[in-house]
Amino acid sequence: MTASEPHPQTGQPVGLPVERTDPAPRPGPVTLKGRYGRLEKLKADHAADLWAVFAGHDQVWTYIVADGPFATYAEFVPCIERRAAADDPYAYAIIDPSGRAVGYVTLLRIVPEMRVTEVGHVLYSPALQRTPLGTETQYLLARYIFETLGYRRYEWKCDALNAPSRRAALRYGFVYEGTFRQYMIAKGRNRDNAWYSMLDSEWPARKANFERWLAPENFDSEGRQKISLAALNGQKA
């Protein structure tokens, strides 16, 4: 049940007052540094690194609404140039410890007036998938959204048939809100969209779980996790 209080004149239930009603800042060209890598503003110059890790892996594009897969580098470059130039979605390259771009992610549907945004176009190459940097990317972005920019609501949406993305949303601490049927046509096919969110009030607990999972002592000498982030966030491993 949504928290409410009586309207001062009519007595009807209305939502609780919001402390900050001024627009939040928009995402910017920051560098977000972590233990396992960093995020930086996506630039056209990242295209060569990204092609090296994406080429031949058509499966990463299956659930992306419009982009990919790409047969050649020449076809791929305009996609990165377009993403790098856009204000919404606003894209960040994911950089590994060697300085190589191994994926990118965007903030989109940015609504500063409502302090709401979404993480999407999550392009993790095989070199990034199932690595600490992949999880740290989501931690760094969420921390930036909630703590630096002061957003109230952070969304994750995906094709309802994209089981790995749905598991990831829950693992990262997003809450499932429902499925929007026939939400869009993607690459000529129907797409139902599964919606998830994380709220500013939920972030402190999610942050603590991210940090516990990312801590070096959570990994054994072979790099295997001792406790899963899913378990920390109350999900089945």
Side-chain angles (χ1 to χ4, degrees), residues 10 54 121:
T10 68
F54 282 126
H121 302 286

Side-chain angles (χ1 to χ4, degrees), residues 105-170:
V105 66
T106 76
L107 297 172
L108 69 155
R109 301 183 186 275
I110 304 162
V111 188
E113 296 78 12
M114 299 300 165
R115 295 180 172 264
V116 174
T117 191
E118 173 185 345
V119 57
H121 302 286
V122 179
L123 266 294
Y124 280 18
S125 71
L128 178 60
Q129 293 167 9
R130 303 184 70 83
T131 67
L133 177 55
T135 296
E136 186 176 58
T137 291
Q138 299 302 326
Y139 163 72
L140 293 171
L141 268 182
R143 188 178 67 180
Y144 176 57
I145 286 298
F146 288 122
E147 297 184 13
T148 302
L149 302 183
Y151 280 67
R152 304 175 64 232
R153 174 179 167 88
Y154 190 39
E155 299 177 337
W156 177 292
K157 300 172 187 147
C158 62
D159 190 313
L161 297 175
N162 187 349
S165 184
R166 298 190 68 158
R167 288 194 299 269
L170 296 174

Side-chain angles (χ1 to χ4, degrees), residues 28-221:
V30 295
T31 298
L32 305 176
K33 296 181 179 180
R35 179 177 288 116
Y36 302 101
R38 71 180 188 271
L39 276 65
E40 63 186 32
K41 180 69 182 77
L42 181 70
K43 297 178 288 190
D45 293 349
H46 290 120
D49 277 356
L50 291 171
W51 178 249
V53 293
F54 282 126
H57 300 288
D58 289 359
Q59 72 279 2
V60 303
W61 302 98
T62 299
Y63 296 111
I64 302 300
V65 173
D67 297 331
F70 300 97
T72 66
Y73 179 62
E75 294 176 7
F76 177 70
V77 169
C79 170
I80 299 304
E81 292 176 337
R82 185 175 65 255
R83 285 272 174 252
D87 290 328
D88 188 346
Y90 195 88
Y92 295 92
I94 305 166
I95 311 297
D96 73 7
S98 73
R100 176 183 62 160
V102 290
Y104 69 87
V105 66
T106 76
L107 297 172
L108 69 155
R109 301 183 186 275
I110 304 162
V111 188
E113 296 78 12
M114 299 300 165
R115 295 180 172 264
V116 174
T117 191
E118 173 185 345
V119 57
H121 302 286
V122 179
L123 266 294
Y124 280 18
S125 71
L128 178 60
Q129 293 167 9
R130 303 184 70 83
T131 67
L133 177 55
T135 296
E136 186 176 58
T137 291
Q138 299 302 326
Y139 163 72
L140 293 171
L141 268 182
R143 188 178 67 180
Y144 176 57
I145 286 298
F146 288 122
E147 297 184 13
T148 302
L149 302 183
Y151 280 67
R152 304 175 64 232
R153 174 179 167 88
Y154 190 39
E155 299 177 337
W156 177 292
K157 300 172 187 147
C158 62
D159 190 313
L161 297 175
N162 187 349
S165 184
R166 298 190 68 158
R167 288 194 299 269
L170 296 174
R171 175 176 177 266
Y172 295 140
F174 289 83
V175 175
Y176 175 64
E177 294 185 326
T179 295
F180 286 57
R181 300 176 300 163
Q182 294 189 187
Y183 183 73
M184 64 174 67
I185 300 170
K187 297 176 179 174
R189 297 179 182 273
N190 175 65
R191 171 164 160 165
D192 297 347
N193 247 26
W195 287 46
Y196 301 79
S197 72
M198 188 185 300
L199 305 182
D200 54 354
S201 60
E202 297 164 340
W203 171 240
R206 304 296 190 268
K207 177 183 180 180
N209 291 340
F210 269 120
E211 292 179 350
R212 183 178 175 189
W213 188 86
L214 290 165
E217 55 267 26
N218 188 43
F219 299 92
D220 65 19
S221 60

